[in-house]
Amino acid sequence: MNAAHPWSTSGERPGSPQARIWRDRADALIAEGRIDGRALIGGQRVAAQDGQTLACHSPIDGRWLVDVARAQAADVDAAVRSARVAFEDGRWAHQPPAERKRVLRRFAELITQHKDELALLETLDMGKPIQYSLSVDVPAAARCIQWYAEAIDKVYDEIAPTARTALALIQREPVGVVAAIVPWNYPMIMAAWKLGPALAMGNSVVLKPSEKSPLSALRLGELALKAGLPPGVFNVVPGLGHEAGQALALHVDVDAISFTGSTRVGRQMLMYAGQSNLKRVFNELGGKSAFIVFDDVDDIARASETAASALFFNQGESCNAPSRLLVHESVADEVVARVVAQAAHHQPGDPFDPSTTMGALVDEGQTRTVLSYIEAGHQDGARCVAGGTQVLQDTGGQYVTPTVFDGVRNDMRIAQEEIFGPVLSVIRFADEAQAIALANDSAYGLQASVWSGHIDRAHRVARALKAGTVHVNQYDEDDITVPFGGVKQSGNGRDKSLHALDKYTELKTTWIRINGA
Ligand code: NAD
């Protein structure tokens, strides 16, 4: 681990004035002990019952941030019990929709009011550039909570068109206690995608953030309380996956698991449900999305720029990163040259510098994983045309350069397995049929993108792709109103949009006889 301020003490990298402002704020947050790593159970900040903690270090420079509660089965049980009591006594679920809306809107406002602090936590904890924590993560989390708050009193139930002799009411009811288990790449946004619809529908939630990035989730829990969410309705249990996560997923008093993470752990979620109470499981899992550029593309420069920026955004640690670039052989050389030129603009830098577009990977383990895939690419015969190296080791942080492999075959490991880092595989194709076959030759089916100037081809290919979302001539449109999720081993169920409400509600039918009708 390095001493504090590796960026500003180095003569070679003195850091911009704006970076120093953010770093000073971060220093104050840490030095004044304002980061609280305790769990949130029943409205109280509490240590793990056995007192164990996990040291939380920043991937920016390796420095210690805080010790975080290492929740075990007993802590998880306390959180689930508190969520259950809160659910059954109706302190939240039975409140008028307008009141739940008021509280969640206030929660969203508080997130916005605390944007600097939350952005700092996100950047310190998982290494992403401060400019994106501020402009993407915090606003998206706030907007998500606000949007579901607004939805609460606009979702109507149904009366079925039955015979006149009876009335059949079909009503949504909250499922009860929801376990939200989330990953580290967008800690706040992933939490918000679960919390928004689950809380809006009146459920109680136990949130298990990733051990690699638990800080913003814990702070969100406090802000929700401050907004007026009754104690016990939203609990946060930080800890390890095979300890806190497993205990939560196996708990017999949890009614639903809303999981976002790897396909490997998603499989375990299904097993945990089978081994316990058959709780419903919704899995949002990994991806290996194809970005397909045809020879009739209208704007080859924009296509190449979009492929690079979408892949390198968030250090390539995005489930929907377009990590397979499928290019028609007649335009491949030009696309590769342009993507390589773009990679130069995404070199890793100080995450606290507002001009930095690529920050640190989440931890040393992730750096090792990414480097091992780069090695596999070399061994399998792909040609590395950009990046491929670890840099800035003297900072004590975790930085890998944006990497492009050309000449990749779709059966290579770097084309089939999710790397979750800044590594792009370029695969060349000869015709439309081959492009579709290559794109679909994947265990995953999260997203895809089609670049073509011909509307018939765009529609034809979009229809043929097995993916939850297909983009045409773009990749970055995003809105809370639009469902997000995958097919095949990318999971089931959808986050975002009104469709997400289905995960957090049961349908209750009530038949009422009408005499003399
Ligand atoms: P992960 O599966 O390792 O961990 C996710 C969460 O599960 C963490 O909180 C972890 O502590 C917990 N966990 C791990 N092992 C567990 C176990 N045995 N029992 C219970 N809980 C356990 O994933 P990650 O490395 O944190 O995140 C990266 C993955 O998330 C990638 O595969 C990425 O594609 C995926 N992801 C998917 C989406 C989506 O919407 N589809 C969004 C973001 C990330």
Side-chain angles (χ1 to χ4, degrees), residues 293 297 300 303-304 307 325 327 331-340 426:
V293 183
V297 59
I300 202 165
S304 312
L325 177 56
V327 202
V331 290
D333 288 343
E334 182 178 352
V335 170
V336 169
R338 287 179 180 277
V339 166
V340 168
V426 181

Side-chain angles (χ1 to χ4, degrees), residues 54-94:
L54 295 165
C56 180
H57 294 279
S58 175
I60 292 176
D61 50 19
R63 80 164 137 168
W64 173 87
L65 300 174
V66 70
D67 287 334
V68 174
R70 179 175 175 171
Q72 304 283 342
D75 307 293
V76 167
D77 187 51
V80 172
R81 273 190 285 120
S82 113
R84 173 59 61 193
V85 169
F87 181 71
E88 297 300 338
D89 71 15
R91 69 185 77 167
W92 176 244
H94 295 176

Side-chain angles (χ1 to χ4, degrees), residues 106-135:
R106 178 79 188 122
F107 181 24
E109 284 165 13
L110 286 174
I111 293 173
T112 303
Q113 281 171 21
H114 290 77
K115 70 175 188 326
D116 285 3
E117 179 196 349
L118 289 166
L120 272 173
L121 288 176
E122 211 74 323
T123 290
L124 276 171
D125 209 6
M126 69 75 64
K128 67 176 70 192
I130 191 76
Q131 64 153 322
Y132 298 137
S133 297
L134 279 170
S135 66

Side-chain angles (χ1 to χ4, degrees), residues 180-186 190 193-194 208-212 239-249 259-266 268-269 272 283-287 317-320 362 366 418 420 444 446 484-486 490-491 495:
I181 302 179
V182 296
W184 47 261
N185 59 335
Y186 295 96
M190 292 302 105
W193 285 5
K194 313 292 187 201
K208 211 299 274 172
S210 169
E211 54 274 36
K212 299 182 185 190
L240 297 174
H242 65 274
E243 294 176 355
Q246 185 177 14
L248 185 57
F259 175 74
T260 297
S262 62
T263 296
R264 181 183 66 80
V265 178
Q268 286 174 286
M269 293 296 152
Y272 295 146
N283 274 330
E284 301 288 345
L285 310 176
E317 297 163 326
S318 299
C319 54
N320 60 340
V362 73
Q366 191 64 13
E418 187 184 40
F420 225 53
Y444 297 107
L446 193 52
F484 185 102
S490 289
D495 280 330

Side-chain angles (χ1 to χ4, degrees), residues 390-422:
Q390 185 178 4
V391 289
L392 302 173
Q393 285 101 320
D394 60 328
T395 63
Q398 304 300 323
Y399 301 90
V400 173
T401 49
T403 302
V404 180
F405 276 102
D406 196 1
V408 177
R409 285 193 329 270
N410 202 48
D411 62 355
M412 290 181 184
R413 279 181 61 199
I414 57 169
Q416 286 294 321
E417 297 177 21
E418 187 184 40
I419 300 173
F420 225 53

